[in-house]
Amino acid sequence: APTVSLGGTVVPYKEVTLTAQVPGQVKVVSGREGDNVTTGQVVVAINDDELQARKRAAEAAMLAADAGMRNAQVQYSRELWSPRTGQPTGMGLPSMMDKFMQPFSGQYSGGNDPQLRRYADLYGQAKGVDDARTGILQARAQIEQLDAKIRDASLTSPFDGVIVQKLVEIGDTVQPGQPLMKIAYVAYLRIQA
């Protein structure tokens, strides 16, 4: 049978290029070209001081939102169990006189239904609780978003392999999408012909 000679190149079984996910300055580069790396080992880390500061600010906002939530719940409970009664009408009279004058002032001022007023007061306090709950959810979402960015600042090896190419050094400034390092899985090799 006739034979044909082909030229070929030995290549790794698989190879990945780790790219920057966040902008910043490179603070860690593990190893040199040819060094072995293990799964989960941090091979490149970008300075995340700004992200950490933003996370602390978001955690402070979370604490403030939590305090606002507790306060709104207390105000709602107070309104539920001890409604606002005897509020001054602006006439500068004691609340007893206000109660005496209330039926007469109601007919001339367009009505003053106590049940409607109570419903409006309860609704306003319930809205305060809902607003506080929304503030907590927003703060929690911001913390989760910053946690994801902080995780993205440290790039780990996806498998046991070898550093094939190192594209940055400590101190380099990188932008998202910029290649940082190539890692190859070399337990098995392939021939590309």
Side-chain angles (χ1 to χ4, degrees):
T3 59
V4 177
S5 297
L6 295 173
T9 306
V10 176
V11 296
Y13 181 71
K14 60 182 172 180
E15 183 177 283
V16 295
T17 302
L18 302 177
T19 59
Q21 302 300 307
V22 295
Q25 189 175 40
V26 176
K27 68 176 183 179
V28 172
V29 178
S30 298
R32 299 182 306 263
E33 293 172 352
D35 286 353
N36 292 326
V37 292
T38 57
T39 305
Q41 176 184 341
V42 175
V43 290
V44 179
I46 298 169
N47 190 332
D48 62 356
D49 290 345
E50 180 190 354
L51 294 172
Q52 293 288 355
R54 286 170 46 195
K55 182 181 176 185
R56 287 190 296 274
E59 287 170 344
M62 175 77 169
L63 292 174
D66 188 50
M69 175 72 169
R70 288 194 308 272
N71 180 49
Q73 288 172 333
V74 167
Q75 296 303 321
Y76 178 78
S77 296
R78 185 199 57 76
E79 184 62 37
L80 184 63
W81 299 110
S82 177
R84 291 184 235 183
T85 55
Q87 294 288 332
T89 60
M91 298 170 66
L93 299 173
S95 61
M96 185 174 77
M97 195 62 159
D98 287 343
K99 285 182 185 177
F100 175 72
M101 297 296 289
Q102 190 172 8
F104 302 111
S105 64
Q107 4 176 336
Y108 302 112
S109 62
N112 196 1
D113 185 356
Q115 290 178 341
L116 182 60
R117 193 176 48 213
R118 172 133 170 80
Y119 173 77
D121 290 344
L122 276 174
Y123 185 83
Q125 295 300 333
K127 184 185 180 312
V129 173
D130 289 342
D131 290 346
R133 186 176 293 120
T134 301
I136 288 174
L137 293 174
Q138 287 175 339
R140 189 174 295 145
Q142 188 174 13
I143 290 171
E144 289 171 1
Q145 183 182 31
L146 288 167
D147 282 340
K149 286 186 177 182
I150 289 169
R151 278 193 306 272
D152 287 345
S154 295
L155 300 171
T156 60
S157 176
F159 46 75
D160 292 348
V162 174
I163 297 173
V164 176
Q165 191 175 11
K166 191 170 72 166
L167 303 167
V168 291
E169 294 293 338
I170 293 174
D172 286 349
T173 301
V174 296
Q175 294 299 320
Q178 180 177 340
L180 306 177
M181 183 178 286
K182 290 185 179 180
I183 298 175
Y185 181 76
V186 292
Y188 303 104
L189 299 172
R190 295 183 298 168
I191 296 175
Q192 189 173 48

